[in-house]
Amino acid sequence: MWRSLGPLNLPQWEQEVLARWRAEKTFQRSLAQRKGGPTFVFYEGPPSANGKPGIHHVFARTLKDLVCRYQTMRGAYVLRRAGWDTHGLPVELAVEKELGLTKADIGTRIAIADYNRACKEAVMRYKAAWDELTERMGYWVALDDPYITFDAQYIESVWWLLKKFYEKGLLYKDYTIQPYSPAAGTALSQHELNLPGAYRPVKDPSITVQFADIQEQGLYYLAWTTTPWTLPSNAALAVGENFVYVEVETFQPYTRTPIRVVLAEAALPRYFTPEGASLPLSPEEVDLRTGRLPYRIRRRFSGKELIGRRYEPLFRYVEPEGEAWRILPGDFVSLEEGTGIVHIAPTFGADDLRVARKHGIPPIALRDAQGHLLPLVDKEGRFVPEVTDFAGRYVKNYKDDPDYKPVDEDIAQHLRQRGLLFRKETYEHNYPHCWRTDKPILYYPVEAWFIRVSALREKLVALNKTIQWFPPSIGEGRFGNWIANAEDWNLSRTRFWGIPLPIWRTRDGRYERCIGSFAELHAAVEEARQAGLMTTNPLDAPDFDPHRPYVDEIILKAPDGSPMYREPEVIDVWFDSGAMPYAQWHYPFENEALFQSQFPADFIAEGVDQTRGWFYTLHVIAAALFDSVAYKRVLVNGLVLDKEGNKMSKRLGNVVDPFALMEQYGADATRWYLVSNAPPWENVRFDEKRLAEKVRSFFGTLHNTYEFFALYAGIDGYEIQPLPPIQQLSMTDRWLLSEVEKLTEKVTEAYEGYFPTEAARLIEDFVIEKLSNWYVRLNRRRFWKGEKDSDKWAAFTVLRYALVRVAQLMAPIAPFYAEVLWENLKEKGSVHESDFPAADSALRDPALEEAMDKTRRLASLLHSLRKQSGIRVRQPLPQALVPASYKSWLEPLAPLLLSEVNLKQLTYIDDHSEAVTYEIRPNYKTLGPRLGAHIQALAAYLRSLSQEALLRVIQQGTLVWEGETLSLAQGDLEVRARALPGWLHASEGGLTVALDTRLSPELEHEGWARELIHLLQNARKNAGLAVTDRIHLALHLPEPYQSALKAFSPLIAQETLAETLTWLETPPPLEPISFLDTLPLYIDISRAYEHA
RNA sequence: GGGCCUGUAGCUCAGUUGGUUAGAGCGCGACACUGAUAAUGUCGAGGUCCGUGGUUCGACUCCACGCAGGCCCA
């Protein structure tokens, strides 16, 4: 029996499908079945379960899922292991907030062990919600045995990787610039700077100082700074390579000495008033009070010219360990403020350090006995003794000293006396403050561990070229540019909940050891025990936890017998996830073969925000240690925005709850909407109304089509049979099959090209336009007609064939409804276990596809003409007229056209008859390149020709134009039959048709019969009869209608399933209904009970 | 400030290697059809293809410079 499922109810059916998948372990079966097939490797980017999943997760996961499902159907073995990202700052911050702690409290007010335990619990808080989402949305991924980044085995693999970096000399210790609070004596995180109120307006002295060129006497570079205290640490100057600079002849504003200064042209008005240019170039003109300076521009030149020049430092307290005091290009140099020349102090600015490193500029700093960097300002915020002029002075008032004298002022004064101060002002700007001490922060060098990514750039770029990016622009642009200029990766974090750095060092830094496995650490601890440094070996415990604080308690023995302590940092959590190809299998300690078969990935998919996150760390680790890509293809998805295009946020209250959505519309509807709406890499504007519309238009139509099939197949007891030979099928059947195969071909192409949006749109178009609106509409009669002949059986077979195919093609995107269809069309097993269908080219008939397309357009034109004529479609019309050239393709389909628009015949009009007029235009595509500018003249000439002349051109294929014979190849001219004068006609897109609306009495009577049948069908329905019920009919109509209609009795009886039809001489005692809008029609209808 | 993406009807989106009348769906208005009926068809209104300049016989399409929005990074 073919089952009617009732009105579309995706949420309910999805629950039923889920129950079936659970009970039958369909996912596991679909995997097991493909074991031994080609391997398609997919990596699941591990989410963090410390927050609730949102709609954007549904988007990303739909893309992952559909590719994996597609590949599985293609016969590939697609292992899909879930994972959890568990470490990192967001977790720590959440826990700090909950427990009311600050970073400084950890290890003091709360033990690290307790703190980390709290983090471990917090990070899996929403695991249940995530698991529920995964299942509910139909994301097939193995949840029962996920990899978890805090597992000891996972960490051991990460240690192994880190040791590989270490051994290759790619892991090293250096320093980085971080926000630091001298008053609190602690580094601050970026997050702490983002706390409300951290940025406050402050007034700082802003000074412009002169750096003297080392060669040219009297030539100075003007640089501007709001932190004069960093000037003793100046190591370089930076300019914009493409900015325009000028050399200006003027005077030192305080000493009136003639000097030449260099600054950006754009900065000129900030330092010189226009009148200065016309003042005599004389020291007397220098106005000390207003700062007015006479000047002359001597030269204009590009910033490039400045690069490499050397200058005298303002202060020389310390000798640099290399070539400092040069001019460099800096991409951060701005013309908005200052002089366009930026003072660089690598020890006190992140940009400064970056550009200095890039160009090999040493920091201006001291070293302690162990070689550690000592900046010229100490950790209390005081100048070190070596800065003799300002030794011991606090650079800001950290101690709330009422007598504090700003050192910045003294530095300015000092420079002024030396004739090196060009301008001093006060500058009000926002500056970050320590939220605990309310004191301004310092950007200060902090020691850190780095991965030397800069040494890998070429390899990263070369390998990236082998990765297929969807879309390619991200791989070339955003990602490609990033890795081509990659800076070293600051790996260490002075935090607690993370994978500890497995590096031990002696206090003096002379000895250092990187540990690559638990076994190695165990052995090292044993050595330490023998040396009396350790009493027990924590690695003897079966449940050794490699997190802090336990690893911190391990002390190792250096070759000289001295103790080595662990470097206190944990690593950047991005390394955790980038390590997942190896660590998920505990490679290399286990699963060698499994790892080999699952590396690299064929496919990953994540949001565009992962470009410098997971995409990057996967790539760096694989390239550095395995000379390989980590993934061969990557599908990037955009953001999910609200329908206004705003980012979803709790603050705006526009967050969409995926569970509510799936509850109301269904997971399939949500998935389909997200995939079909826009290409994955575009941002999706999420609009619930459109989702609802998608349910109605696509799923509703598809389901209606299934219900239509099930209804009649059920009534007739249709049994599945193979497709009959194509020659035995009707034109519409052949056409539909051809379209099915075309669809299969194009959908396959779209999936193969990682463009599921196109696949979804193709399927939608097929289902709505081809299958439902055309095939089913044209063939309805075949399904409900009485005889169960081969034609009827063929219709069932073809329709079912198409529906089964649709189920398979849509299965990756809408796995639930595809399953419902599959099951109810009585296919075996699960659609997800079936083989993705290969297009059968033998069933293709492109000519028929095109002919049908044109026929549809003709039908549309004729409908339009009927509309103009005001004659209802039920009234048959005698004929339509079309050009004879249509005959070849239209004739086989003519019956369809005639019945669709209720015509008696199609008449082909000779192309050369006077009933047709033509319009000829040049084919711009072929003639354009040949004729160039003349083509417009040709077009005008063709427009001017008479119909006779046009006909000659068409027949002869040559054209005499401007005295020359222009020989025309096939297709050089576009000929259009324009109109059929004298008839009601229409043209569109190269098709033209006319309608004959003259009615004969016979046609009119037939129209009445149709009208009557229509009314009787309505009456049947109003009487509550089933479509299969047989009836007895008695009718009465005024003359002459009744007599005329008697001739149509057999037709009427057949169409309305009337066993008896009686024409009454007098009206029965019933309410009449109106016939043809004005006449009374009496209908006596009763059900005919079957005789048992 | 840099990199990348996007800009086409009220809304969501198509638009082939440049080819002369820029399309679809939704929404809106009107009419029709109806044995899939909470379906369907036809007609209508609705466009400076973000702007400016350039290349070209011809530009929504290619180039340059802008503008607006988004993301990532400074």
Side-chain angles (χ1 to χ4, degrees), chain A residues 6-24:
Chain A
L8 188 70
N9 189 344
L10 287 176
Q12 188 197 318
W13 300 340
E14 286 172 1
Q15 292 297 349
E16 289 165 17
V17 169
L18 281 173
R20 185 181 150 199
W21 285 349
R22 260 196 304 268
E24 298 179 5

Side-chain angles (χ1 to χ4, degrees), chain A residues 526-584:
Chain A
E526 285 304 305
E527 280 177 46
R529 274 178 67 183
Q530 280 161 24
L533 293 168
M534 293 282 288
T535 52
T536 59
N537 193 334
L539 282 99
D540 283 332
D543 57 346
F544 168 68
D545 182 353
H547 282 95
R548 299 186 70 182
Y550 312 108
V551 276
D552 299 337
E553 291 157 7
I554 293 174
I555 298 166
L556 302 182
K557 183 175 86 81
D560 68 350
S562 59
M564 295 200 290
Y565 303 93
R566 196 186 72 81
E567 289 286 285
E569 292 96 344
V570 298
I571 64 165
D572 181 3
V573 64
W574 285 112
F575 194 98
D576 293 17
S577 50
M580 88 29 94
Y582 330 94
Q584 69 167 331

Side-chain angles (χ1 to χ4, degrees), chain A residues 741-797:
Chain A
E741 301 307 330
K742 181 167 86 176
L743 176 73
T744 306
E745 210 170 276
K746 291 177 119 178
V747 166
T748 304
E749 222 170 85
Y751 280 134
E752 288 292 327
Y754 291 81
F755 193 15
T757 307
E758 179 69 7
R761 287 173 174 173
L762 288 164
I763 295 167
E764 267 179 40
D765 181 66
F766 173 81
V767 166
I768 297 173
E769 295 302 325
K770 307 279 165 60
L771 184 60
S772 171
N773 286 356
W774 197 240
Y775 182 80
V776 171
R777 209 155 77 86
L778 288 183
N779 287 286
R780 274 178 298 192
R781 289 193 84 79
R782 290 169 73 195
F783 290 91
W784 75 63
K785 70 182 177 184
E787 323 80 87
K788 297 183 187 179
D789 57 11
S790 66
D791 175 65
K792 186 173 200 171
W793 245 231
F796 282 130
T797 304

